[in-house]
Amino acid sequence: MLRRPIRSTSLKAVGYDPATQTLEIEYRHGGLVRYTGVPEELHQALLRVPGKALFIEQVVERGGFGREQLRG
């Protein structure tokens, strides 16, 4: 999946595949996490909010989506 760099102190890049509703988050410390079942609206909201890491923690992590730790 192609991930694009984003401005964030703790996140390095975000990737999203609308066909499979898969969101990938790459952290600056090297971690990589994949979430499944994430709607496009949530991905767009993530790109808009100033506190992206907080959004991941409060919305995505608690949203009941499938989660797979790929690295780190």
Side-chain angles (χ1 to χ4, degrees):
M1 173 182 307
L2 180 64
R3 291 185 295 275
R4 68 182 226 194
I6 58 170
R7 288 185 177 208
S8 171
T9 55
S10 57
L11 306 181
K12 181 177 179 181
V14 172
Y16 185 75
D17 181 353
T20 61
Q21 292 191 317
T22 301
L23 175 71
E24 287 186 355
I25 305 295
E26 185 175 3
Y27 290 87
R28 294 204 180 275
H29 64 69
L32 179 62
V33 180
R34 178 180 293 153
Y35 299 93
T36 55
V38 178
E40 171 68 25
E41 301 81 43
L42 202 88
H43 169 244
Q44 291 300 321
L46 169 63
L47 298 179
R48 287 191 305 267
V49 298
K52 292 174 177 37
L54 188 60
F55 185 89
I56 292 294
E57 180 184 319
Q58 293 183 345
V59 177
V60 179
E61 285 285 335
R62 297 179 186 173
F65 304 108
R67 183 184 191 281
E68 182 181 2
Q69 187 84 32
L70 301 176
R71 189 172 69 218

